[in-house]
Amino acid sequence: MWGEWVREAWNAAPDGILLVDSSGTIISSNAAMSLISGFAQNELEGQAVEMLVPESMHASHKVDVHRFFLQPRRHSMGMGRTLWLQRKDGAHVPVDIALGNFDRDGAPLVVAFVRDVTEMRRLEERMQYQATHDILTGLHNRWSFTQRLHESLQQTQVTGEPVALLLLDLDNFKSINDGYGHAAGDHVLQEVAKRLKSVIRNQGVLSRLGGDEFTVLVPDTDMEQAQSWAEQILFAMSTPCRWGHVLLDFGASIGVAISPTDSRDPSTLLRYADMAMYRAKEHGRGNFVFYEDSMGHEMAEKVLLSERLRLALGYEGIKLYYQPQIDIRTGQVCGAEALVRWKDPLLGEITPDRFIPVAESSGLIIGLGNYVLDAACKQISLWLQQGQPVRIAVNLSAQQLRQPNLVQLVRDALERYQVPPSWLELEVTETQAMQDPEHACRMLAELSGLGVSLALDDFGNGHSSLAYLQHLPVQRLKLGKDFMRTGRLGSKLLRAMIQFGHALNLQVVAEGVETEEQRSQLEAMGCECYQGWLASKAMTALEFETWRSQR
């Protein structure tokens, strides 16, 4: 009975089992071994175990068997490399093997437990793929790309051959995502990957870093060849892709950096390609730009300015200057625009055209805007207490206009300094208002509800929908200083803009007025106010008070 149980257990084992003698001959096998190998038990027994080993490994396997019998030891599964078993039909099967040994009537025997690990290998390969590839597009992911980039640059140091890194960012992806949904966005990303593969084929490494950013790493590629790749990629991206009944036009911008010319360091090379890509976007959609040293210098300056500006906001290093606005008919001060000035202890005086873009790109514009709003309300309060009130105009940035708590921030500033709302004017540019006209109308209506004045700044310099302009709850239009320059239309365009403002029942303020001739011309055209060096440059609060008292 015991022998029958042993035989049933032997054949019920899920792993294949081989009993092998010291000559390498198979003494016995179980049912699972037949399933793995395709050989019946009687076909295996009495045969050399090498029949289960690929022919190319027969000789080395015999040596291994001989060594094992000389120095037998237990060997567990998972302790070595994957081995290959050759089936009866010639197919190769990945297996793992555990070994044990014992003596029978003084003769050494080895028992081999053989496990088919085909499914395990498939799972490992699937997990490896998922760890190194972007699931949506099938391209290498950021981690895998970083490894390839390191390897490629190491190879470059050995061979001296250049490698090109192209960083691609879609131009219209956010609009597609917002307008048609994430499914449409995913379709675009997959289409981009497909087109990149068709262009690059097997000549480079493609990856998706995340979002709508892709990289192309092409070895043995100089600037001329990299330009050719960039042009081919942009051409491939220029055709819209179909999403249902809609054609989605995305386009792309590309930044290119070359190693070792630009950098031998992987992270630096990627950063340089990123700088070049943003420069390409500044040139308009569908462009590519090579990295230049000047970009690195500009970025270093931006980083330094950002850090110094952060510090300046902490110790109130930003100051407000005030440029008066003059009633053209009476010559009296009718308001003042608050302008920011910054003199850094380390860098000296820094002009707004240098630090405002840095504030916008770094997110510091919100803190800067809140500081200006607070300081302006404080100054209004002081002038009210002195009996010399002046309406102060404060510029709102596009990011401030998108703040959901903007109305509350303005209300808090007015209440903090007990300022009547009518003494505060908030300016938004035409371009800002037209970025999202419905949101602008709604936000400006809420601000108007507080009782503050509203002005549309730089009017005529942007691209407006005139239909929307009539719905903006503003009281004043400010004409940019470009209208004061003589052009081929002479004064006709200036007159038309003033008439347009009056047609909307708005007061018109002309900026950049520098001569009495310009002032007289504006008066003849019915313009209400002007601002510019004819009256005064921007001044500190104390200088403004002195200047005003002397008028």
Side-chain angles (χ1 to χ4, degrees):
M1 182 182 296
W2 178 251
E4 293 177 3
W5 287 4
V6 170
R7 173 58 63 179
E8 289 178 8
W10 173 267
N11 284 319
D15 291 331
I17 304 175
L18 291 173
L19 198 58
V20 181
D21 65 15
S22 58
S23 68
T25 301
I26 300 172
I27 304 301
S28 183
S29 66
N30 70 343
M33 194 66 235
S34 295
L35 290 174
I36 295 172
S37 68
F39 290 101
Q41 288 174 276
N42 62 351
E43 292 178 303
L44 292 171
E45 294 168 3
Q47 301 297 319
V49 73
E50 277 74 35
M51 72 180 297
L52 298 174
V53 176
E55 187 174 354
S56 61
M57 301 180 64
H58 281 187
S60 61
H61 188 268
K62 286 183 180 181
V63 173
D64 291 341
V65 170
H66 179 68
R67 287 176 179 170
F68 187 86
F69 276 99
L70 290 176
Q71 292 183 320
R73 63 193 181 282
R74 290 185 176 275
H75 178 85
S76 301
M77 287 190 181
M79 299 297 290
R81 68 183 190 280
T82 299
L83 303 175
W84 292 93
L85 177 145
Q86 182 168 295
R87 289 174 46 86
K88 183 178 181 178
D89 59 9
H92 291 179
V93 178
V95 294
D96 198 358
I97 294 178
L99 299 175
N101 63 287
F102 64 97
D103 287 349
R104 180 75 174 182
D105 298 330
L109 296 173
V110 169
V111 58
F113 299 87
V114 182
R115 180 172 298 169
D116 184 346
V117 293
T118 300
E119 288 304 316
M120 185 180 299
R121 279 181 61 87
R122 287 175 182 164
L123 177 61
E124 289 174 350
E125 289 171 356
R126 196 156 53 242
M127 292 175 65
Q128 174 69 14
Y129 181 86
Q130 292 175 351
T132 58
H133 287 74
D134 174 56
I135 302 304
L136 179 66
T137 63
L139 304 181
H140 290 278
N141 61 16
R142 177 180 286 271
W143 181 88
S144 180
F145 162 75
T146 302
Q147 303 305 308
R148 297 297 188 95
L149 181 59
H150 275 79
E151 294 168 3
S152 184
L153 295 196
Q154 287 174 355
Q155 185 67 22
T156 295
Q157 292 182 18
V158 175
T159 64
E161 294 293 334
V163 58
L165 172 60
L166 289 74
L167 179 63
L168 177 149
D169 187 270
L170 302 188
D171 290 329
N172 200 33
F173 185 69
K174 186 178 186 303
S175 298
I176 292 172
N177 250 347
D178 293 346
Y180 298 98
H182 291 288
D186 289 348
H187 176 71
V188 167
L189 295 175
Q190 290 170 333
E191 182 66 22
V192 170
K194 178 181 176 182
R195 296 184 188 186
L196 284 174
K197 290 175 183 176
S198 69
V199 172
I200 303 300
R201 296 181 294 279
N202 62 346
Q203 298 187 57
V205 177
L206 303 175
S207 71
R208 178 185 172 214
L209 295 186
D212 60 340
E213 278 194 338
F214 296 79
T215 59
V216 181
L217 187 64
V218 191
D220 301 335
T221 302
D222 57 20
M223 286 189 66
E224 184 178 349
Q225 294 167 315
Q227 177 174 334
S228 175
W229 285 120
E231 290 171 345
Q232 291 180 59
I233 291 171
L234 290 179
F235 180 77
M237 302 300 159
S238 64
T239 306
C241 69
R242 182 167 293 281
W243 170 251
H245 300 293
V246 179
L247 287 177
L248 302 178
D249 185 11
F250 46 92
S253 298
I254 298 176
V256 187
I258 307 289
S259 182
T261 307
D262 296 326
S263 177
R264 299 175 184 269
D265 176 67
S267 60
T268 302
L269 192 70
L270 180 59
R271 183 161 54 89
Y272 286 173
D274 191 57
M275 290 182 196
M277 182 271 292
Y278 278 105
R279 180 61 59 85
K281 282 188 175 293
E282 292 174 4
H283 292 175
R285 59 181 294 168
N287 282 300
F288 69 91
V289 168
F290 282 90
Y291 171 78
E292 297 176 357
D293 288 341
S294 60
M295 297 178 191
H297 299 152
E298 290 173 11
M299 181 57 66
E301 182 186 58
K302 287 181 180 179
V303 171
L304 178 60
L305 286 179
S306 176
E307 183 57 32
R308 299 301 299 178
L309 180 58
R310 194 184 308 278
L311 293 173
L313 288 173
Y315 64 78
E316 296 187 357
I318 302 295
K319 303 299 180 184
L320 289 194
Y321 278 50
Y322 302 91
Q323 186 170 40
Q325 296 173 346
I326 307 298
D327 185 303
I328 287 182
R329 290 185 300 103
T330 66
Q332 297 299 308
V333 175
C334 60
E337 181 177 2
L339 302 170
V340 288
R341 296 293 184 264
W342 177 24
K343 187 173 183 180
D344 183 78
L346 178 65
L347 303 176
E349 190 169 335
I350 303 169
T351 58
D353 61 346
R354 286 179 62 197
F355 71 81
I356 293 296
V358 172
E360 290 175 337
S361 63
S362 64
L364 292 174
I365 194 67
I366 297 295
L368 178 60
N370 292 342
Y371 167 77
V372 171
L373 176 64
D374 183 86
C377 287
K378 183 178 180 179
Q379 187 60 57
I380 294 172
S381 177
L382 289 173
W383 282 338
L384 280 168
Q385 293 171 27
Q386 295 171 8
Q388 298 290 329
V390 178
R391 184 185 67 238
I392 294 181
V394 172
N395 290 280
L396 292 180
S397 69
Q399 293 184 39
Q400 283 180 286
L401 197 60
R402 290 194 292 268
Q403 280 184 287
N405 63 338
L406 175 61
V407 176
Q408 187 60 46
L409 289 171
V410 174
R411 180 186 290 113
D412 290 346
L414 292 170
E415 292 177 353
R416 186 179 306 119
Y417 299 105
Q418 298 182 335
V419 171
S422 60
W423 292 107
L424 175 66
E425 182 169 87
L426 300 177
E427 296 184 0
V428 295
T429 67
E430 177 188 8
T431 301
Q432 291 167 1
M434 289 302 104
Q435 283 180 353
D436 188 345
E438 293 183 0
H439 173 77
C441 285
R442 185 169 59 253
M443 184 61 72
L444 293 178
E446 292 183 35
L447 289 169
S448 180
L450 294 178
V452 301
S453 298
L454 298 173
L456 193 63
D457 196 13
D458 285 340
F459 181 71
N461 291 346
H463 303 281
S464 295
S465 166
L466 299 183
Y468 268 112
L469 283 181
Q470 65 180 322
H471 300 298
L472 292 177
V474 299
Q475 288 78 47
R476 268 171 287 280
L477 286 185
K478 297 191 71 177
L479 301 181
K481 59 185 178 182
D482 289 343
F483 286 105
M484 302 311 301
R485 297 170 182 166
T486 304
R488 64 180 180 85
L489 295 178
S491 60
K492 293 180 181 179
L493 184 58
L494 178 60
R495 184 186 300 277
M497 300 304 289
I498 293 173
Q499 290 175 345
F500 177 79
H502 291 162
L504 294 177
N505 295 319
L506 302 177
Q507 290 185 352
V508 179
V509 181
E511 294 182 294
V513 178
E514 299 179 354
T515 66
E516 176 59 30
E517 181 184 357
Q518 291 173 333
R519 191 208 66 78
S520 298
Q521 184 183 45
L522 289 168
E523 183 178 10
M525 294 178 180
C527 181
E528 286 78 11
C529 302
Y530 76 91
Q531 177 181 336
W533 279 34
L534 176 63
S536 175
K537 64 179 182 179
M539 300 169 281
T540 66
L542 183 59
E543 290 170 340
F544 187 93
E545 293 168 10
T546 302
W547 170 86
R548 190 181 184 191
S549 67
Q550 296 173 347
R551 285 181 61 81

